[in-house]
Amino acid sequence: MDIVKGNMGWIEVVVGPMFSGKSEELIRRLRRAEIARQRVQIFKPVIDQRYSVSGIVSHSGLELGSDLVRTAEEILEKVEPRTEVIGIDEGQFLGEGLLSTCNKLADAGKRVIVTGLDTDFMGRPFEPMPRLLAMAEEITKLLAICVRCGNPAVHTQRLVASEELIVVGAGGMYEARCRRCFEPNLAAQKVDEEKASTVKVRAAIR
Ligand code: ADP
Ligand code: ZN
């Protein structure tokens, strides 16, 4: 954002697959705001407790303290009037309420920075992030590196057997893949394989 007059707020969104550096980028932007002596508050959904109970942690180990919230509405309750910059990590877990929360905060003159996955394990749009992109003043799309071939990776490949939309985890459960190496149906195939092998075991027991 180049020219901002008065105390106008806005929404910045950082999207991309897992391992693309979204948390690192959020931490970088918030640290710079702190250096500029701005009042910063950071939130993340309670669902993501991968590494730290109450902090944003990147896969490379950067860390910044944050407040845990269960819903996007809880962010509105917890934001202090004097706060100037608000960071929200893992926005895809906060549901539709994230849209009105971000709008209200930006309308109130705050700079809102949200990170999240724009697509799910099948490569489908992961709401509410796509709609948040449509509302935002500034968008950054990051790519990871495909672990198979080294090309830019736009996808989050699920490696475990589950067709649930949300399965929280990192090491070994997901990896970054490019559009050529991505296998959207891999998780579903694994579910089928598991079912088939249970049937075989049952048949053997009988
Ligand atoms: P995100 O929040 O998008 O999941 P993070 O900011 O937590 O990403 O982590 C990004 C860091 O992960 C990179 O700087 C790099 O050190 C590490 N990393 C591990 N695997 C990969 C990969 N396949 N592609 C790119 N970075 C990776
Ligand atoms: Zn690849």
Side-chain angles (χ1 to χ4, degrees):
M1 295 287 290
D2 282 344
I3 303 163
V4 181
K5 295 198 284 187
N7 57 350
M8 196 188 80
W10 69 88
I11 303 171
E12 293 165 35
V13 186
V14 180
V15 292
M18 279 179 73
F19 306 102
S20 62
K22 301 183 295 299
S23 300
E24 273 175 7
E25 179 60 20
L26 180 62
I27 292 169
R28 190 183 78 90
R29 292 186 193 185
L30 295 173
R31 286 229 168 105
R32 287 167 63 89
E34 282 175 348
I35 290 168
R37 300 193 188 286
Q38 293 186 309
R39 293 190 184 85
V40 174
Q41 269 185 281
I42 308 150
F43 300 95
K44 73 170 195 177
V46 78
I47 195 158
D48 181 38
Q49 293 180 341
R50 276 182 297 182
Y51 311 105
S52 165
V53 176
S54 62
I56 298 174
V57 187
S58 78
H59 290 109
S60 58
L62 287 176
E63 194 166 350
L64 205 63
S66 67
D67 255 349
L68 287 178
V69 289
R70 274 180 181 72
T71 61
E73 291 70 26
E74 211 180 313
I75 296 177
L76 291 178
E77 290 161 21
K78 288 191 169 168
V79 165
E80 290 156 21
R82 295 198 312 168
T83 297
E84 296 161 284
V85 183
I86 294 150
I88 304 173
D89 201 15
E90 305 278 12
Q92 77 278 359
F93 293 145
L94 285 166
E96 294 287 298
L98 183 65
L99 304 169
S100 62
T101 290
C102 292
N103 257 335
K104 281 180 191 158
L105 293 170
D107 287 347
K110 310 207 185 284
R111 174 185 176 198
V112 186
I113 314 171
V114 188
T115 70
L117 298 169
D118 51 344
T119 59
D120 67 9
F121 72 105
M122 297 275 289
R124 302 169 297 202
F126 201 156
E127 291 297 346
M129 298 309 292
R131 283 175 63 198
L132 190 64
L133 288 170
M135 283 173 21
E137 270 84 1
E138 197 185 280
I139 297 166
T140 306
K141 178 144 178 166
L142 301 175
L143 299 173
I145 303 296
C146 176
V147 297
R148 283 278 171 93
C149 72
N151 272 309
V154 73
H155 289 297
T156 304
Q157 176 72 54
R158 182 177 288 174
L159 302 169
V160 293
S162 171
E163 289 177 279
E164 298 286 320
L165 176 61
I166 298 175
V167 177
V168 178
M173 291 174 71
Y174 293 96
E175 66 187 26
R177 297 259 188 110
C178 72
R179 63 166 60 243
R180 255 199 239 159
C181 300
F182 183 49
E183 298 170 86
N185 295 315
L186 184 67
Q189 282 162 13
K190 289 199 171 181
V191 171
D192 290 343
E193 281 166 21
E194 277 186 8
K195 273 186 200 151
S197 65
T198 350
V199 172
K200 270 186 208 152
V201 171
R202 283 211 190 110
I205 293 168
R206 281 192 197 128

